Amino acid sequence: MSDIWIVLLIVAIVLLFTVPVAQQQMVRTRRLRAIRDLETERRTRVIALIHRQERIGFLGIPLFRYIDINDSEEVLRAIRLTPPDMPIDLVVHTPGGLILSSEQIAMALRRHRGKVTIFVPHYAMSGGTLLCLAADEVAMDENAVLGPVDPRIGEYPAASILRVPRLKPPEEIEDRTFILVDIAAKAQNQMREFVTVLLRDRMDAERADRLSRLLTQGTWTHDYPITFEEARDLGLPVTPGMPAGIYRLMDLFPQAMPRRPSVAYVPVPYQGEEKKG
């Protein structure tokens, strides 16, 4: 009798580790199929950059996702596999992430000759908004939001650090704070110049400079929600509405799967539009 219980225990342990893996593979297959359906419908390269707070494995360990260097490497690879004149659809759902990674993706999108459309079904904050500034069109759900792109130094906004010398005399400010002020000034100037470059082709120089300052110099808190109406009033290339296929793709991402990649696309080079017989 004891042998039966040992066998059952072994089977239970095997299932405990193999079932989540099998489920993950099934979901990944469904995601790729949904992406391919969108590509067929829209005749574009579809890339998904989707981050969620997840729980990993059966222990429920929380995992927080954001734009990192792995994401930028994968997105840049997807763009390289896309013909220069082929349109790109980028589905973005993110709280933001590393400035370096976000800027790399934004520059690659801006250099792409084909039309770049970013779909925002829920939110694209901070670094996600930076990507939107590089797009030809940003399709937003009516309840979706963007956010400011003001840089942060550690846990503090650069704009708030820069206020310290105006509020306290120099003799009362620590040396470390002076260093942070210097770094904050550089970070803010660099971000403003980068945003201005992204906007330069889409509006006149004066308006681009004004908008870049508004988005980078701490006008709002970092999590301030820029609605569709406000984004439109600011002059961003936003359009209302979302294809049903985008929502179907998003439905495939809530699952708490271990080591799930946040960037997904069909990993083959395209030779342009297929000839019709």
Side-chain angles (χ1 to χ4, degrees), residues 184-229:
K186 293 175 181 176
Q188 193 177 78
N189 289 335
Q190 289 167 189
M191 181 57 70
R192 186 183 68 252
E193 292 173 0
F194 185 77
V195 170
T196 300
V197 169
L198 293 180
L199 297 173
R200 191 175 296 160
D201 294 338
R202 293 171 172 81
M203 58 186 69
D204 62 75
E206 182 179 351
R207 191 174 185 183
D209 180 70
R210 184 168 63 249
L211 180 54
S212 65
R213 292 178 184 277
L214 187 68
L215 293 173
T216 64
Q217 294 193 337
T219 307
W220 307 287
T221 59
H222 195 63
D223 60 352
Y224 175 78
I226 299 175
T227 63
F228 169 80
E229 291 79 12

mmCIF file of all heavy atoms in Angstrom, residues 184-229:
data_model
loop_
_atom_site.group_PDB
_atom_site.id
_atom_site.type_symbol
_atom_site.label_atom_id
_atom_site.label_comp_id
_atom_site.label_asym_id
_atom_site.label_seq_id
_atom_site.Cartn_x
_atom_site.Cartn_y
_atom_site.Cartn_z
ATOM 1 N N ALA A 184 20.169 65.889 -11.793
ATOM 2 C CA ALA A 184 18.769 66.145 -12.159
ATOM 3 C C ALA A 184 18.681 67.151 -13.296
ATOM 4 O O ALA A 184 17.871 66.990 -14.227
ATOM 5 C CB ALA A 184 17.995 66.641 -10.944
ATOM 6 N N ALA A 185 19.507 68.196 -13.249
ATOM 7 C CA ALA A 185 19.491 69.204 -14.312
ATOM 8 C C ALA A 185 19.899 68.596 -15.645
ATOM 9 O O ALA A 185 19.283 68.865 -16.682
ATOM 10 C CB ALA A 185 20.428 70.356 -13.940
ATOM 11 N N LYS A 186 20.935 67.749 -15.618
ATOM 12 C CA LYS A 186 21.373 67.099 -16.854
ATOM 13 C C LYS A 186 20.299 66.151 -17.388
ATOM 14 O O LYS A 186 20.023 66.134 -18.596
ATOM 15 C CB LYS A 186 22.672 66.335 -16.605
ATOM 16 C CG LYS A 186 23.876 67.233 -16.299
ATOM 17 C CD LYS A 186 25.090 66.411 -15.934
ATOM 18 C CE LYS A 186 26.275 67.317 -15.615
ATOM 19 N NZ LYS A 186 27.456 66.550 -15.150
ATOM 20 N N ALA A 187 19.702 65.355 -16.488
ATOM 21 C CA ALA A 187 18.680 64.397 -16.910
ATOM 22 C C ALA A 187 17.484 65.115 -17.520
ATOM 23 O O ALA A 187 16.943 64.689 -18.544
ATOM 24 C CB ALA A 187 18.243 63.549 -15.718
ATOM 25 N N GLN A 188 17.068 66.220 -16.913
ATOM 26 C CA GLN A 188 15.913 66.956 -17.422
ATOM 27 C C GLN A 188 16.211 67.578 -18.784
ATOM 28 O O GLN A 188 15.387 67.515 -19.702
ATOM 29 C CB GLN A 188 15.512 68.036 -16.421
ATOM 30 C CG GLN A 188 14.145 68.639 -16.701
ATOM 31 C CD GLN A 188 13.748 69.644 -15.639
ATOM 32 O OE1 GLN A 188 14.218 70.779 -15.647
ATOM 33 N NE2 GLN A 188 12.896 69.236 -14.711
ATOM 34 N N ASN A 189 17.391 68.155 -18.926
ATOM 35 C CA ASN A 189 17.764 68.759 -20.215
ATOM 36 C C ASN A 189 17.864 67.706 -21.308
ATOM 37 O O ASN A 189 17.416 67.923 -22.441
ATOM 38 C CB ASN A 189 19.101 69.496 -20.077
ATOM 39 C CG ASN A 189 18.988 70.771 -19.259
ATOM 40 O OD1 ASN A 189 17.904 71.361 -19.166
ATOM 41 N ND2 ASN A 189 20.083 71.199 -18.668
ATOM 42 N N GLN A 190 18.460 66.549 -20.978
ATOM 43 C CA GLN A 190 18.604 65.487 -21.973
ATOM 44 C C GLN A 190 17.242 64.969 -22.422
ATOM 45 O O GLN A 190 17.019 64.746 -23.620
ATOM 46 C CB GLN A 190 19.436 64.343 -21.381
ATOM 47 C CG GLN A 190 20.908 64.688 -21.211
ATOM 48 C CD GLN A 190 21.676 63.699 -20.363
ATOM 49 O OE1 GLN A 190 22.819 63.931 -20.001
ATOM 50 N NE2 GLN A 190 21.048 62.582 -20.021
ATOM 51 N N MET A 191 16.328 64.790 -21.481
ATOM 52 C CA MET A 191 15.006 64.290 -21.845
ATOM 53 C C MET A 191 14.242 65.318 -22.669
ATOM 54 O O MET A 191 13.565 64.976 -23.644
ATOM 55 C CB MET A 191 14.223 63.923 -20.591
ATOM 56 C CG MET A 191 12.825 63.370 -20.871
ATOM 57 S SD MET A 191 12.833 61.903 -21.941
ATOM 58 C CE MET A 191 13.548 60.695 -20.816
ATOM 59 N N ARG A 192 14.349 66.595 -22.301
ATOM 60 C CA ARG A 192 13.659 67.639 -23.060
ATOM 61 C C ARG A 192 14.172 67.701 -24.488
ATOM 62 O O ARG A 192 13.395 67.799 -25.443
ATOM 63 C CB ARG A 192 13.848 68.995 -22.386
ATOM 64 C CG ARG A 192 13.026 70.110 -23.043
ATOM 65 C CD ARG A 192 13.259 71.467 -22.432
ATOM 66 N NE ARG A 192 14.606 71.965 -22.694
ATOM 67 C CZ ARG A 192 15.564 72.052 -21.782
ATOM 68 N NH1 ARG A 192 15.346 71.687 -20.529
ATOM 69 N NH2 ARG A 192 16.764 72.503 -22.105
ATOM 70 N N GLU A 193 15.490 67.611 -24.665
ATOM 71 C CA GLU A 193 16.058 67.644 -26.008
ATOM 72 C C GLU A 193 15.631 66.423 -26.820
ATOM 73 O O GLU A 193 15.343 66.532 -28.015
ATOM 74 C CB GLU A 193 17.591 67.718 -25.913
ATOM 75 C CG GLU A 193 18.104 69.048 -25.353
ATOM 76 C CD GLU A 193 19.599 69.026 -25.115
ATOM 77 O OE1 GLU A 193 20.227 67.967 -25.390
ATOM 78 O OE2 GLU A 193 20.151 70.043 -24.647
ATOM 79 N N PHE A 194 15.574 65.252 -26.175
ATOM 80 C CA PHE A 194 15.179 64.040 -26.888
ATOM 81 C C PHE A 194 13.723 64.124 -27.334
ATOM 82 O O PHE A 194 13.389 63.775 -28.480
ATOM 83 C CB PHE A 194 15.382 62.818 -25.994
ATOM 84 C CG PHE A 194 15.120 61.506 -26.691
ATOM 85 C CD1 PHE A 194 16.048 60.965 -27.560
ATOM 86 C CD2 PHE A 194 13.934 60.827 -26.477
ATOM 87 C CE1 PHE A 194 15.803 59.758 -28.210
ATOM 88 C CE2 PHE A 194 13.676 59.626 -27.124
ATOM 89 C CZ PHE A 194 14.612 59.090 -27.992
ATOM 90 N N VAL A 195 12.845 64.582 -26.450
ATOM 91 C CA VAL A 195 11.433 64.713 -26.800
ATOM 92 C C VAL A 195 11.257 65.735 -27.924
ATOM 93 O O VAL A 195 10.460 65.530 -28.843
ATOM 94 C CB VAL A 195 10.611 65.110 -25.560
ATOM 95 C CG1 VAL A 195 9.181 65.483 -25.956
ATOM 96 C CG2 VAL A 195 10.591 63.974 -24.554
ATOM 97 N N THR A 196 12.018 66.816 -27.882
ATOM 98 C CA THR A 196 11.939 67.828 -28.931
ATOM 99 C C THR A 196 12.305 67.239 -30.288
ATOM 100 O O THR A 196 11.657 67.524 -31.297
ATOM 101 C CB THR A 196 12.870 69.009 -28.617
ATOM 102 O OG1 THR A 196 12.478 69.593 -27.355
ATOM 103 C CG2 THR A 196 12.775 70.087 -29.691
ATOM 104 N N VAL A 197 13.329 66.385 -30.309
ATOM 105 C CA VAL A 197 13.729 65.739 -31.557
ATOM 106 C C VAL A 197 12.605 64.854 -32.082
ATOM 107 O O VAL A 197 12.310 64.831 -33.288
ATOM 108 C CB VAL A 197 15.018 64.917 -31.346
ATOM 109 C CG1 VAL A 197 15.293 64.022 -32.555
ATOM 110 C CG2 VAL A 197 16.210 65.841 -31.107
ATOM 111 N N LEU A 198 11.938 64.122 -31.190
ATOM 112 C CA LEU A 198 10.842 63.246 -31.612
ATOM 113 C C LEU A 198 9.669 64.046 -32.182
ATOM 114 O O LEU A 198 8.983 63.586 -33.103
ATOM 115 C CB LEU A 198 10.350 62.403 -30.428
ATOM 116 C CG LEU A 198 11.317 61.357 -29.861
ATOM 117 C CD1 LEU A 198 10.659 60.622 -28.697
ATOM 118 C CD2 LEU A 198 11.741 60.355 -30.934
ATOM 119 N N LEU A 199 9.435 65.231 -31.636
ATOM 120 C CA LEU A 199 8.275 66.030 -32.039
ATOM 121 C C LEU A 199 8.548 66.937 -33.226
ATOM 122 O O LEU A 199 7.607 67.458 -33.837
ATOM 123 C CB LEU A 199 7.794 66.889 -30.854
ATOM 124 C CG LEU A 199 7.298 66.136 -29.620
ATOM 125 C CD1 LEU A 199 7.025 67.126 -28.492
ATOM 126 C CD2 LEU A 199 6.050 65.335 -29.940
ATOM 127 N N ARG A 200 9.807 67.145 -33.549
ATOM 128 C CA ARG A 200 10.185 68.165 -34.528
ATOM 129 C C ARG A 200 9.544 67.958 -35.890
ATOM 130 O O ARG A 200 9.179 68.919 -36.569
ATOM 131 C CB ARG A 200 11.707 68.193 -34.664
ATOM 132 C CG ARG A 200 12.248 69.383 -35.444
ATOM 133 C CD ARG A 200 13.763 69.367 -35.395
ATOM 134 N NE ARG A 200 14.238 69.543 -34.030
ATOM 135 C CZ ARG A 200 15.465 69.195 -33.626
ATOM 136 N NH1 ARG A 200 16.292 68.611 -34.481
ATOM 137 N NH2 ARG A 200 15.840 69.404 -32.376
ATOM 138 N N ASP A 201 9.380 66.704 -36.322
ATOM 139 C CA ASP A 201 8.822 66.433 -37.647
ATOM 140 C C ASP A 201 7.299 66.522 -37.678
ATOM 141 O O ASP A 201 6.696 66.471 -38.752
ATOM 142 C CB ASP A 201 9.250 65.043 -38.133
ATOM 143 C CG ASP A 201 10.745 64.961 -38.368
ATOM 144 O OD1 ASP A 201 11.364 66.024 -38.565
ATOM 145 O OD2 ASP A 201 11.284 63.840 -38.343
ATOM 146 N N ARG A 202 6.676 66.634 -36.509
ATOM 147 C CA ARG A 202 5.212 66.589 -36.434
ATOM 148 C C ARG A 202 4.570 67.923 -36.080
ATOM 149 O O ARG A 202 3.346 68.043 -36.090
ATOM 150 C CB ARG A 202 4.787 65.522 -35.421
ATOM 151 C CG ARG A 202 5.138 64.122 -35.887
ATOM 152 C CD ARG A 202 4.932 63.087 -34.806
ATOM 153 N NE ARG A 202 5.088 61.743 -35.354
ATOM 154 C CZ ARG A 202 6.253 61.160 -35.561
ATOM 155 N NH1 ARG A 202 7.360 61.810 -35.294
ATOM 156 N NH2 ARG A 202 6.328 59.948 -36.070
ATOM 157 N N MET A 203 5.367 68.913 -35.706
ATOM 158 C CA MET A 203 4.835 70.236 -35.375
ATOM 159 C C MET A 203 5.944 71.258 -35.485
ATOM 160 O O MET A 203 7.120 70.898 -35.603
ATOM 161 C CB MET A 203 4.229 70.230 -33.965
ATOM 162 C CG MET A 203 5.188 69.819 -32.869
ATOM 163 S SD MET A 203 4.378 69.671 -31.250
ATOM 164 C CE MET A 203 3.332 68.222 -31.499
ATOM 165 N N ASP A 204 5.584 72.538 -35.479
ATOM 166 C CA ASP A 204 6.597 73.582 -35.620
ATOM 167 C C ASP A 204 7.494 73.608 -34.386
ATOM 168 O O ASP A 204 7.145 73.084 -33.321
ATOM 169 C CB ASP A 204 5.934 74.944 -35.832
ATOM 170 C CG ASP A 204 5.059 75.362 -34.659
ATOM 171 O OD1 ASP A 204 5.601 75.767 -33.617
ATOM 172 O OD2 ASP A 204 3.810 75.275 -34.792
ATOM 173 N N ALA A 205 8.669 74.227 -34.549
ATOM 174 C CA ALA A 205 9.704 74.192 -33.511
ATOM 175 C C ALA A 205 9.227 74.791 -32.196
ATOM 176 O O ALA A 205 9.509 74.248 -31.117
ATOM 177 C CB ALA A 205 10.948 74.926 -34.008
ATOM 178 N N GLU A 206 8.487 75.896 -32.273
ATOM 179 C CA GLU A 206 8.032 76.554 -31.042
ATOM 180 C C GLU A 206 7.067 75.654 -30.267
ATOM 181 O O GLU A 206 7.174 75.513 -29.045
ATOM 182 C CB GLU A 206 7.347 77.876 -31.383
ATOM 183 C CG GLU A 206 6.882 78.642 -30.151
ATOM 184 C CD GLU A 206 6.227 79.966 -30.520
ATOM 185 O OE1 GLU A 206 6.286 80.353 -31.712
ATOM 186 O OE2 GLU A 206 5.657 80.615 -29.610
ATOM 187 N N ARG A 207 6.139 75.029 -30.966
ATOM 188 C CA ARG A 207 5.176 74.159 -30.298
ATOM 189 C C ARG A 207 5.851 72.903 -29.762
ATOM 190 O O ARG A 207 5.515 72.422 -28.672
ATOM 191 C CB ARG A 207 4.064 73.778 -31.266
ATOM 192 C CG ARG A 207 2.882 73.097 -30.606
ATOM 193 C CD ARG A 207 1.760 72.873 -31.588
ATOM 194 N NE ARG A 207 0.587 72.330 -30.943
ATOM 195 C CZ ARG A 207 -0.526 71.984 -31.569
ATOM 196 N NH1 ARG A 207 -0.605 72.139 -32.890
ATOM 197 N NH2 ARG A 207 -1.556 71.498 -30.902
ATOM 198 N N ALA A 208 6.813 72.375 -30.513
ATOM 199 C CA ALA A 208 7.542 71.190 -30.051
ATOM 200 C C ALA A 208 8.311 71.502 -28.771
ATOM 201 O O ALA A 208 8.329 70.693 -27.829
ATOM 202 C CB ALA A 208 8.484 70.698 -31.140
ATOM 203 N N ASP A 209 8.936 72.663 -28.721
ATOM 204 C CA ASP A 209 9.682 73.050 -27.521
ATOM 205 C C ASP A 209 8.750 73.235 -26.339
ATOM 206 O O ASP A 209 9.046 72.795 -25.215
ATOM 207 C CB ASP A 209 10.461 74.340 -27.795
ATOM 208 C CG ASP A 209 11.268 74.791 -26.584
ATOM 209 O OD1 ASP A 209 12.260 74.109 -26.255
ATOM 210 O OD2 ASP A 209 10.895 75.816 -25.965
ATOM 211 N N ARG A 210 7.604 73.853 -26.569
ATOM 212 C CA ARG A 210 6.651 74.086 -25.481
ATOM 213 C C ARG A 210 6.101 72.769 -24.938
ATOM 214 O O ARG A 210 6.014 72.567 -23.722
ATOM 215 C CB ARG A 210 5.516 74.982 -25.973
ATOM 216 C CG ARG A 210 4.515 75.362 -24.879
ATOM 217 C CD ARG A 210 3.579 76.468 -25.348
ATOM 218 N NE ARG A 210 2.770 76.039 -26.485
ATOM 219 C CZ ARG A 210 2.910 76.516 -27.717
ATOM 220 N NH1 ARG A 210 3.851 77.424 -27.975
ATOM 221 N NH2 ARG A 210 2.129 76.098 -28.701
ATOM 222 N N LEU A 211 5.764 71.841 -25.836
ATOM 223 C CA LEU A 211 5.218 70.559 -25.403
ATOM 224 C C LEU A 211 6.276 69.718 -24.695
ATOM 225 O O LEU A 211 5.978 69.046 -23.690
ATOM 226 C CB LEU A 211 4.653 69.803 -26.609
ATOM 227 C CG LEU A 211 4.028 68.432 -26.326
ATOM 228 C CD1 LEU A 211 2.960 68.536 -25.245
ATOM 229 C CD2 LEU A 211 3.446 67.840 -27.601
ATOM 230 N N SER A 212 7.511 69.751 -25.182
ATOM 231 C CA SER A 212 8.568 68.971 -24.546
ATOM 232 C C SER A 212 8.816 69.459 -23.117
ATOM 233 O O SER A 212 9.049 68.658 -22.204
ATOM 234 C CB SER A 212 9.858 69.053 -25.365
ATOM 235 O OG SER A 212 10.374 70.366 -25.380
ATOM 236 N N ARG A 213 8.761 70.768 -22.906
ATOM 237 C CA ARG A 213 8.925 71.308 -21.555
ATOM 238 C C ARG A 213 7.761 70.891 -20.654
ATOM 239 O O ARG A 213 7.942 70.556 -19.482
ATOM 240 C CB ARG A 213 9.049 72.829 -21.600
ATOM 241 C CG ARG A 213 10.338 73.319 -22.243
ATOM 242 C CD ARG A 213 10.410 74.834 -22.308
ATOM 243 N NE ARG A 213 11.608 75.281 -23.008
ATOM 244 C CZ ARG A 213 12.810 75.403 -22.438
ATOM 245 N NH1 ARG A 213 12.953 75.139 -21.146
ATOM 246 N NH2 ARG A 213 13.849 75.798 -23.143
ATOM 247 N N LEU A 214 6.568 70.918 -21.207
ATOM 248 C CA LEU A 214 5.379 70.544 -20.443
ATOM 249 C C LEU A 214 5.464 69.099 -19.965
ATOM 250 O O LEU A 214 5.098 68.775 -18.828
ATOM 251 C CB LEU A 214 4.137 70.737 -21.313
ATOM 252 C CG LEU A 214 2.767 70.565 -20.643
ATOM 253 C CD1 LEU A 214 2.513 71.690 -19.650
ATOM 254 C CD2 LEU A 214 1.668 70.524 -21.692
ATOM 255 N N LEU A 215 5.979 68.214 -20.831
ATOM 256 C CA LEU A 215 6.019 66.793 -20.518
ATOM 257 C C LEU A 215 7.209 66.391 -19.656
ATOM 258 O O LEU A 215 7.170 65.346 -18.994
ATOM 259 C CB LEU A 215 6.045 65.968 -21.810
ATOM 260 C CG LEU A 215 4.786 66.015 -22.677
ATOM 261 C CD1 LEU A 215 5.036 65.292 -24.001
ATOM 262 C CD2 LEU A 215 3.605 65.389 -21.948
ATOM 263 N N THR A 216 8.281 67.196 -19.647
ATOM 264 C CA THR A 216 9.521 66.758 -18.996
ATOM 265 C C THR A 216 9.908 67.538 -17.753
ATOM 266 O O THR A 216 10.773 67.082 -17.002
ATOM 267 C CB THR A 216 10.704 66.846 -19.986
ATOM 268 O OG1 THR A 216 10.924 68.228 -20.352
ATOM 269 C CG2 THR A 216 10.433 66.033 -21.244
ATOM 270 N N GLN A 217 9.302 68.678 -17.498
ATOM 271 C CA GLN A 217 9.802 69.552 -16.426
ATOM 272 C C GLN A 217 8.953 69.537 -15.162
ATOM 273 O O GLN A 217 8.935 70.500 -14.403
ATOM 274 C CB GLN A 217 9.970 70.973 -16.958
ATOM 275 C CG GLN A 217 11.051 71.077 -18.022
ATOM 276 C CD GLN A 217 11.442 72.511 -18.334
ATOM 277 O OE1 GLN A 217 10.673 73.434 -18.110
ATOM 278 N NE2 GLN A 217 12.644 72.686 -18.854
ATOM 279 N N GLY A 218 8.236 68.459 -14.923
ATOM 280 C CA GLY A 218 7.525 68.328 -13.657
ATOM 281 C C GLY A 218 6.270 69.162 -13.553
ATOM 282 O O GLY A 218 5.899 69.587 -12.455
ATOM 283 N N THR A 219 5.589 69.366 -14.678
ATOM 284 C CA THR A 219 4.322 70.092 -14.656
ATOM 285 C C THR A 219 3.303 69.374 -13.790
ATOM 286 O O THR A 219 2.523 70.000 -13.063
ATOM 287 C CB THR A 219 3.762 70.235 -16.085
ATOM 288 O OG1 THR A 219 4.770 70.802 -16.925
ATOM 289 C CG2 THR A 219 2.525 71.121 -16.107
ATOM 290 N N TRP A 220 3.299 68.031 -13.890
ATOM 291 C CA TRP A 220 2.394 67.200 -13.102
ATOM 292 C C TRP A 220 3.210 66.185 -12.310
ATOM 293 O O TRP A 220 4.427 66.094 -12.465
ATOM 294 C CB TRP A 220 1.437 66.428 -14.025
ATOM 295 C CG TRP A 220 0.695 67.276 -15.013
ATOM 296 C CD1 TRP A 220 -0.332 68.132 -14.739
ATOM 297 C CD2 TRP A 220 0.891 67.334 -16.438
ATOM 298 N NE1 TRP A 220 -0.787 68.724 -15.891
ATOM 299 C CE2 TRP A 220 -0.065 68.245 -16.958
ATOM 300 C CE3 TRP A 220 1.750 66.698 -17.324
ATOM 301 C CZ2 TRP A 220 -0.162 68.541 -18.310
ATOM 302 C CZ3 TRP A 220 1.668 66.988 -18.667
ATOM 303 C CH2 TRP A 220 0.719 67.904 -19.155
ATOM 304 N N THR A 221 2.535 65.416 -11.470
ATOM 305 C CA THR A 221 3.197 64.275 -10.843
ATOM 306 C C THR A 221 3.475 63.230 -11.920
ATOM 307 O O THR A 221 2.849 63.240 -12.980
ATOM 308 C CB THR A 221 2.313 63.655 -9.739
ATOM 309 O OG1 THR A 221 1.073 63.229 -10.310
ATOM 310 C CG2 THR A 221 2.054 64.666 -8.633
ATOM 311 N N HIS A 222 4.388 62.324 -11.614
ATOM 312 C CA HIS A 222 4.830 61.359 -12.634
ATOM 313 C C HIS A 222 3.721 60.403 -13.056
ATOM 314 O O HIS A 222 3.764 59.849 -14.156
ATOM 315 C CB HIS A 222 6.027 60.568 -12.112
ATOM 316 C CG HIS A 222 6.764 59.829 -13.185
ATOM 317 N ND1 HIS A 222 7.407 60.466 -14.234
ATOM 318 C CD2 HIS A 222 6.953 58.493 -13.389
ATOM 319 C CE1 HIS A 222 7.964 59.567 -15.024
ATOM 320 N NE2 HIS A 222 7.699 58.372 -14.540
ATOM 321 N N ASP A 223 2.730 60.191 -12.184
ATOM 322 C CA ASP A 223 1.635 59.273 -12.521
ATOM 323 C C ASP A 223 0.380 60.017 -12.973
ATOM 324 O O ASP A 223 -0.708 59.442 -12.987
ATOM 325 C CB ASP A 223 1.306 58.364 -11.336
ATOM 326 C CG ASP A 223 0.876 59.142 -10.094
ATOM 327 O OD1 ASP A 223 0.980 60.397 -10.101
ATOM 328 O OD2 ASP A 223 0.445 58.506 -9.111
ATOM 329 N N TYR A 224 0.538 61.284 -13.368
ATOM 330 C CA TYR A 224 -0.618 62.050 -13.843
ATOM 331 C C TYR A 224 -1.180 61.419 -15.121
ATOM 332 O O TYR A 224 -0.436 61.169 -16.075
ATOM 333 C CB TYR A 224 -0.211 63.496 -14.122
ATOM 334 C CG TYR A 224 -1.311 64.340 -14.721
ATOM 335 C CD1 TYR A 224 -2.329 64.848 -13.931
ATOM 336 C CD2 TYR A 224 -1.337 64.616 -16.088
ATOM 337 C CE1 TYR A 224 -3.341 65.624 -14.479
ATOM 338 C CE2 TYR A 224 -2.344 65.383 -16.647
ATOM 339 C CZ TYR A 224 -3.347 65.888 -15.832
ATOM 340 O OH TYR A 224 -4.354 66.643 -16.378
ATOM 341 N N PRO A 225 -2.498 61.131 -15.167
ATOM 342 C CA PRO A 225 -3.074 60.494 -16.359
ATOM 343 C C PRO A 225 -3.440 61.510 -17.437
ATOM 344 O O PRO A 225 -4.302 62.366 -17.242
ATOM 345 C CB PRO A 225 -4.324 59.803 -15.803
ATOM 346 C CG PRO A 225 -4.744 60.662 -14.648
ATOM 347 C CD PRO A 225 -3.473 61.229 -14.069
ATOM 348 N N ILE A 226 -2.784 61.426 -18.581
ATOM 349 C CA ILE A 226 -3.119 62.274 -19.730
ATOM 350 C C ILE A 226 -4.160 61.525 -20.555
ATOM 351 O O ILE A 226 -3.858 60.509 -21.182
ATOM 352 C CB ILE A 226 -1.867 62.579 -20.575
ATOM 353 C CG1 ILE A 226 -0.830 63.329 -19.724
ATOM 354 C CG2 ILE A 226 -2.231 63.391 -21.802
ATOM 355 C CD1 ILE A 226 0.479 63.569 -20.442
ATOM 356 N N THR A 227 -5.378 62.005 -20.538
ATOM 357 C CA THR A 227 -6.477 61.331 -21.226
ATOM 358 C C THR A 227 -6.391 61.546 -22.737
ATOM 359 O O THR A 227 -5.588 62.350 -23.226
ATOM 360 C CB THR A 227 -7.821 61.865 -20.728
ATOM 361 O OG1 THR A 227 -7.918 63.267 -21.062
ATOM 362 C CG2 THR A 227 -7.950 61.705 -19.214
ATOM 363 N N PHE A 228 -7.246 60.821 -23.455
ATOM 364 C CA PHE A 228 -7.288 60.977 -24.905
ATOM 365 C C PHE A 228 -7.572 62.418 -25.296
ATOM 366 O O PHE A 228 -6.904 62.983 -26.170
ATOM 367 C CB PHE A 228 -8.354 60.053 -25.496
ATOM 368 C CG PHE A 228 -8.636 60.336 -26.954
ATOM 369 C CD1 PHE A 228 -7.789 59.852 -27.935
ATOM 370 C CD2 PHE A 228 -9.725 61.112 -27.331
ATOM 371 C CE1 PHE A 228 -8.032 60.130 -29.279
ATOM 372 C CE2 PHE A 228 -9.975 61.395 -28.666
ATOM 373 C CZ PHE A 228 -9.131 60.904 -29.645
ATOM 374 N N GLU A 229 -8.560 63.025 -24.643
ATOM 375 C CA GLU A 229 -8.928 64.408 -24.980
ATOM 376 C C GLU A 229 -7.773 65.371 -24.720
ATOM 377 O O GLU A 229 -7.501 66.262 -25.525
ATOM 378 C CB GLU A 229 -10.161 64.829 -24.172
ATOM 379 C CG GLU A 229 -11.450 64.132 -24.559
ATOM 380 C CD GLU A 229 -11.559 62.725 -23.986
ATOM 381 O OE1 GLU A 229 -10.742 62.378 -23.095
ATOM 382 O OE2 GLU A 229 -12.459 61.966 -24.427
#
